[in-house]
C-alpha cells in the first residue's frame, strides 16, 4: 500500500476534506473579464494540479482538532495553497532551481513561458491575501491570519529560506555553514514556515487559546523539518518516475542536504526522531489530533 493509500485508509474523511479545499481553490481562482486568459490558466495550472494538499489539510485539521469547523478554515486553507503554488512556480524557474517537472507535469514556465510564470506567481501571492481578507470571518481572525501568512511568506521565512538555499550552492559559501544546524535554519524557513502558518491559522479559525497556538506551532516546526529530511532522502533514493520530478540533482548542484551532511542512515534516524517529537507535541490533544498524527506518518512514509 502506498503512503497516500495508507492516508486515505486511515482517514475515511480525507476525500471530502480535499474536495472541500479544491472547491474553495476553484472559487479563489475564478476571475472576471479583466483577468487575462493566459495568466489565469497558468495560475490554475499549478494551483489545481494533482497534489498532496498538505498545507490546506493542516489548516483544516488543526481547526477541527481544536473544536472548529471545516467551513471556517477553508479561506485560510485555500490561501496557504495559493502561496505554496506561487513559491513552486518561482522556485522552478531557470534562475532558481531550474526544474522542468513538477508533480509529474511540465513546470509552469515550460508549459507556458517564463514571463507568464513569474506573473502567475505574483498574482497567486496577491490573491491569497485578498481571499483571506474577503472570505474569513470575523475580521479579527482575518487580520490575525493575514499577519501569520504574510510573516511566513516573507524575507525572514519562506523567501529568506529560499535565498539562503540558493546561496548555499555558491562556491564561496562559508565552510563553517556547511553543517546540519545551518541546513535546518534554512528549512525551518523555506519549508517549515508554511506548515507552521497553516497550523496556526487553523487554530485561529477555531478561536483557540494561545497555548494551543503554541502547541500547533511546535508540531509544525518538526513536521516541516521531517518533510525536508524525507524530500532529501527521496531525491537521492527515488527515480524520476516515482517522484514525479528530476532526482539526484541536489548533489550535482552542491546543495546542502541531510544525506550529504549526515549520510543516509543518520538522516533516517533524524526523521524518526522528528516523528517522536511530533507525537509528543500533539499528545495533550488526544484523539482529536489523530488526523494530524496520520499526516505526520504519511510525510515520513511517502514515496513522492
Amino acid at each position: 500500500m502506498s503512503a497516500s493509500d495508507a492516508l486515505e485508509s486511515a482517514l475515511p474523511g480525507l476525500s471530502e476534506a480535499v474536495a472541500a479545499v479544491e472547491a474553495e481553490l476553484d472559487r479563489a481562482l475564478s476571475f472576471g473579464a479583466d483577468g487575462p486568459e493566459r495568466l489565469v490558466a497558468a495560475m490554475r495550472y499549478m494551483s489545481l494540479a494533482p497534489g498532496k494538499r498538505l498545507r490546506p489539510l493542516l489548516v483544516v485539521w488543526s481547526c477541527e482538532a481544536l473544536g472548529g469547523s471545516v467551513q471556517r478554515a477553508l479561506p485560510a486553507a485555500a490561501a496557504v495553497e495559493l502561496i505554496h503554488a506561487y513559491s513552486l512556480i518561482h522556485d522552478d524557474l531557470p534562475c532558481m532551481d531550474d526544474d522542468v517537472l513538477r508533480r509529474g507535469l511540465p513546470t509552469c514556465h515550460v508549459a507556458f513561458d517564463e514571463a507568464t510564470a513569474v506573473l502567475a506567481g505574483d498574482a497567486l501571492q496577491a490573491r491569497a491575501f485578498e481571499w483571506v481578507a474577503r472570505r474569513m470571518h470575523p475580521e479579527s481572525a482575518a487580520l490575525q491570519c493575514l499577519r501569520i501568512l504574510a510573516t511566513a511568506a516573507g524575507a525572514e521565512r519562506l523567501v529568506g529560506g529560499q535565498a539562503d538555499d540558493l546561496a548555499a550552492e555558491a562556491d564561496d559559501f562559508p565552510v563553517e555553514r556547511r553543517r546540519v544546524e545551518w541546513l535546518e535554519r534554512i528549512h525551518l524557513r523555506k519549508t517549515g514556515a508554511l506548515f507552521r502558518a497553516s497550523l496556526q491559522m487553523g487554530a485561529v479559525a477555531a478561536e483557540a487559546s494561545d497555548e494551543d497556538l503554541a502547541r500547533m506551532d511546535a508540531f509544525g516546526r518538526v513536521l516541516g523539518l521531517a518533510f525536508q529530511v524525507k524530500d532529501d532522502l527521496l531525491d537521492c533514493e527515488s527515480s524520476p518516475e516515482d517522484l514525479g520530478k528530476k532526482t539526484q540533482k541536489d548533489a550535482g548542484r552542491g546543495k546542502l542536504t541531510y544525506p550529504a551532511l549526515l549520510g543516509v542512515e543518520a538522516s533516517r534516524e533524524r526523521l524518526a526522531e522528528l516523528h517522536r517529537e511530533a507525537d509528543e507535541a500533539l499528545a495533550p490533544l488526544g484523539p482529536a489530533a489523530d488526523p494530524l498524527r496520520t499526516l505526520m506518518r504519511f510525510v515520513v512514509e511517502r514515496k513522492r
Side-chain angles (χ1 to χ4, degrees):
M1 180 183 293
S2 70
S4 55
D5 287 342
L7 187 63
E8 178 71 39
S9 175
L11 292 167
L14 176 64
S15 296
E16 290 80 0
V18 170
V21 165
E22 292 185 344
E24 186 78 1
L25 279 171
D26 183 63
R27 287 188 287 270
L29 291 165
S30 298
F31 294 87
D34 286 339
E37 184 177 341
R38 186 173 177 83
L39 174 67
V40 173
M43 294 168 70
R44 293 178 68 87
Y45 175 80
M46 180 57 69
S47 303
L48 296 174
K52 295 179 282 291
R53 309 293 182 219
L54 291 183
R55 292 152 192 84
L57 286 173
L58 287 173
V59 180
V60 169
W61 288 336
S62 170
C63 183
E64 288 189 310
L66 297 171
S69 68
V70 172
Q71 289 302 314
R72 291 197 63 177
L74 284 177
V80 76
E81 187 72 351
L82 296 180
I83 291 289
H84 178 53
Y86 126 73
S87 74
L88 297 182
I89 291 173
H90 283 193
D91 284 2
D92 289 338
L93 289 168
C95 62
M96 297 244 231
D97 288 348
D98 194 15
D99 275 313
V100 297
L101 276 179
R102 171 70 68 176
R103 296 172 174 171
L105 298 171
T107 48
C108 193
H109 67 275
V110 173
F112 294 85
D113 57 75
E114 287 187 41
T116 300
V118 171
L119 293 172
D122 293 344
L124 284 168
Q125 183 176 201
R127 187 63 160 179
F129 296 115
E130 177 190 356
W131 201 249
V132 171
R134 282 177 180 268
R135 301 270 296 181
M136 194 157 192
H137 302 288
E139 286 189 1
S140 58
L143 181 61
Q144 192 171 357
C145 284
L146 286 170
R147 179 185 59 76
I148 290 168
L149 191 57
T151 300
E156 291 186 317
R157 303 289 169 84
L158 175 64
V159 176
Q162 172 69 354
D164 277 345
D165 194 33
L166 290 170
E169 298 177 27
D171 291 337
D172 60 351
F173 186 71
V175 66
E176 65 270 15
R177 290 184 177 178
R178 292 192 177 276
R179 61 181 193 271
V180 172
E181 292 81 5
W182 184 261
L183 179 63
E184 294 200 343
R185 182 175 180 269
I186 291 173
H187 292 311
L188 281 170
R189 291 172 294 146
K190 181 181 176 181
T191 305
L194 287 188
F195 283 146
R196 295 169 76 176
S198 298
L199 289 151
Q200 287 179 310
M201 289 193 295
V204 169
E207 300 181 303
S209 65
D210 289 344
E211 182 181 10
D212 282 332
L213 267 168
R215 181 172 292 114
M216 287 300 176
D217 188 50
F219 173 67
R221 182 184 185 279
V222 294
L223 176 66
L225 287 177
F227 188 90
Q228 193 60 53
V229 176
K230 185 65 175 183
D231 243 19
D232 288 354
L233 285 167
L234 288 172
D235 183 72
C236 70
E237 295 181 318
S238 294
S239 68
E241 292 75 22
D242 289 337
L243 202 54
K245 62 181 181 179
K246 289 171 63 177
T247 58
Q248 305 289 334
K249 66 184 183 67
D250 289 345
R253 295 181 59 170
K255 291 188 71 168
L256 286 181
T257 68
Y258 286 90
L261 292 174
L262 295 176
V264 169
E265 194 53 45
S267 296
R268 290 178 182 147
E269 290 172 5
R270 177 62 174 140
L271 190 60
E273 178 187 359
L274 290 166
H275 196 174
R276 289 191 294 272
E277 290 180 25
D279 285 341
E280 289 171 6
L282 295 176
L285 297 178
D290 281 348
L292 294 175
R293 294 185 183 91
T294 303
L295 192 59
M296 180 67 181
R297 188 164 62 250
F298 166 76
V299 165
V300 169
E301 297 174 356
R302 66 194 173 97
K303 305 300 181 185
R304 60 185 301 165

